[in-house]
Amino acid sequence: MANDKADVLFIGPHRDHLFTELNKAFVIHHAPRPEDVDDAMTTKLAPTLRYVAVGGHPGAISGATMAKLPKLEIVSNFGVGYDNVDAKYAAAHDIMVTNTPDVLNEEVADTTLGLLLATTRDFIQADRYARSGEWEKQGDYKLSHSLRDRKIGIVGLGRIGRAIARRLDAMLLPVAYHARNRVKDVNYKYYADLVAMARDVDTLVVITPGGAATKNLINAKVLEALGPNGILINMARGSVVDEDALIAALTNKTIAAAGLDVFVKEPHVPQALKDMTNVVLLPHVGSASVHTRRAMEQLVVDNLVAWQAGKAPLTPVAETPSKRK
Ligand code: 8YV
């Protein structure tokens, strides 16, 4: 029997559940890195390829690559953030782009709270103190910062930002937020001016989309306004924080501490940050549980399968609203 499965190009590292599910409906062509989509591959796939899936560092697709695939109809991205996909090019060329919103909200919010607590209460250094036997030799570990009396400013009050705010409510912490627009159905204090918010709070939690519009949004000015008791938590994208300004602010004690899940050039973590004891560094694990990654992988496949069946995709991105019902 002839193989009547359609081709899909997956750009990114291997994922078990994703590959098992994709394999049921498609023939997978795998490019672990964007540069693996070379001329030989695009020439081979160009006459027929309608479906691309992409995601997981370093999975990405540029407009230039899309241009080499004239039959391309849809790019299904693994991840709610899609700064790795040229959605503008896609929109201009009638290519659908989908992402994986909602299924990761609670997981990323949980991770944020964990990182906030670990950073504020110094859990990682304290763990080292207990393990190394220093506790027995030196006595009790030094007292830490506290969440008590803190005011939190959330940068980006989207779906994940709101899940974080709900958790902070339960912890009796006052929440304010900065976003491009005021969010209608919440009572948190809104700041149109990020520096003004940074001045009024002492803790910033960053959970805004990456990309050109938010590049270096958290700059030296914002960090200075946050002040010497300030704690910065970045769960968004490395690009949202000016990494050099952050390293300077931590070195000069312009702010007190930082918890970072994301970096400018992942998986590279600057040595200056590794050398500091007042930072907690996570290797981009916001959504990285078996449970949530499986749900995200399933949504990548479900978007492609719906599209292939002539239906509207489940979760199109804002730039490419579905014309299908
Ligand atoms: C993923 C994420 O780790 O969804 C996102 O935007 O940042 C994470 O959930 C990432 O997309 C895959 O590397």
Side-chain angles (χ1 to χ4, degrees):
M1 200 177 87
N3 188 350
D4 54 2
K5 286 187 201 171
D7 292 319
V8 66
L9 169 62
F10 179 68
I11 310 169
H14 178 92
R15 297 185 177 278
D16 284 340
H17 181 69
L18 180 61
F19 274 54
T20 304
E21 291 302 306
L22 268 184
N23 199 34
K24 290 180 186 165
F26 301 95
V27 174
I28 305 171
H29 301 265
H30 185 201
R33 300 163 308 164
E35 55 269 38
D36 297 327
V37 189
D38 55 14
D39 283 348
M41 192 178 229
T42 50
T43 306
K44 191 176 99 188
L45 294 175
T48 55
L49 189 81
R50 294 154 63 200
Y51 313 106
V52 164
V54 60
H57 183 86
I61 187 163
S62 63
T65 298
M66 290 187 225
K68 291 179 189 160
L69 300 167
K71 296 262 162 58
L72 182 61
E73 294 176 13
I74 179 169
V75 175
S76 178
N77 184 55
F78 172 81
V80 64
Y82 53 96
D83 47 325
N84 54 328
V85 177
D86 189 339
K88 260 197 194 141
Y89 179 94
H93 294 83
D94 207 21
I95 298 166
M96 169 58 61
V97 178
T98 61
N99 65 343
T100 59
D102 291 322
V103 293
L104 46 51
N105 294 350
E106 303 303 323
E107 196 76 68
V108 178
D110 289 348
T111 313
T112 307
L113 264 291
L115 185 55
L116 175 61
L117 276 165
T119 307
T120 309
R121 297 298 323 284
D122 216 7
F123 286 156
I124 310 301
Q125 295 297 329
D127 172 277
R128 287 189 187 132
Y129 196 78
R131 270 172 212 272
S132 66
E134 287 301 292
W135 188 16
E136 281 158 340
K137 284 192 226 140
Q138 314 273 0
D140 287 349
Y141 187 70
K142 68 179 165 63
L143 301 183
S144 70
H145 296 289
S146 176
L147 281 180
R148 298 304 104 208
D149 288 339
R150 272 191 183 272
K151 291 186 189 139
I152 319 281
I154 300 182
V155 181
L157 201 70
R159 289 172 279 220
I160 302 173
R162 290 171 71 143
I164 295 167
R166 262 196 286 114
R167 284 159 174 75
L168 296 172
D169 284 344
M171 294 165 88
L172 308 177
L173 292 162
V175 170
Y177 71 101
H178 164 76
R180 259 181 304 175
N181 299 305
R182 189 186 285 275
V183 177
K184 282 196 190 95
D185 54 342
V186 297
N187 291 322
Y188 307 119
K189 184 167 180 186
Y190 172 65
Y191 286 85
D193 181 353
L194 175 56
V195 173
M197 181 172 83
R199 211 176 287 127
D200 284 359
V201 302
D202 46 35
T203 308
L204 284 182
V205 174
V206 185
I207 186 70
T208 190
T214 56
K215 189 167 180 341
N216 291 342
L217 181 67
I218 309 296
N219 57 22
K221 247 184 158 175
V222 173
L223 296 169
E224 205 182 316
L226 191 59
N229 192 32
I231 292 180
L232 175 78
I233 303 296
N234 187 9
M235 293 298 297
R237 285 289 182 265
S239 61
V240 181
V241 175
D242 179 339
E243 214 166 57
D244 292 335
L246 175 63
I247 290 168
L250 287 163
T251 307
N252 303 333
K253 307 266 182 264
T254 305
I255 67 166
L260 308 172
D261 186 45
V262 288
F263 302 87
V264 172
K265 287 198 187 102
E266 294 177 11
H268 172 72
V269 177
Q271 190 60 40
L273 290 173
K274 290 185 192 164
D275 290 341
M276 291 176 190
T277 53
N278 55 341
V279 297
V280 176
L281 307 171
L282 296 180
H284 200 148
V285 293
S287 66
S289 69
V290 172
H291 170 97
T292 295
R293 283 293 172 84
R294 196 184 161 97
M296 290 164 66
E297 288 174 23
Q298 192 60 51
L299 189 47
V300 170
V301 178
D302 291 348
N303 271 309
L304 290 173
V305 168
W307 185 263
Q308 190 182 33
K311 297 182 198 153
L314 282 75
T315 49
V317 304
E319 289 87 338
T320 62
S322 179
K323 293 172 200 150
R324 296 182 181 176
K325 292 228 170 84

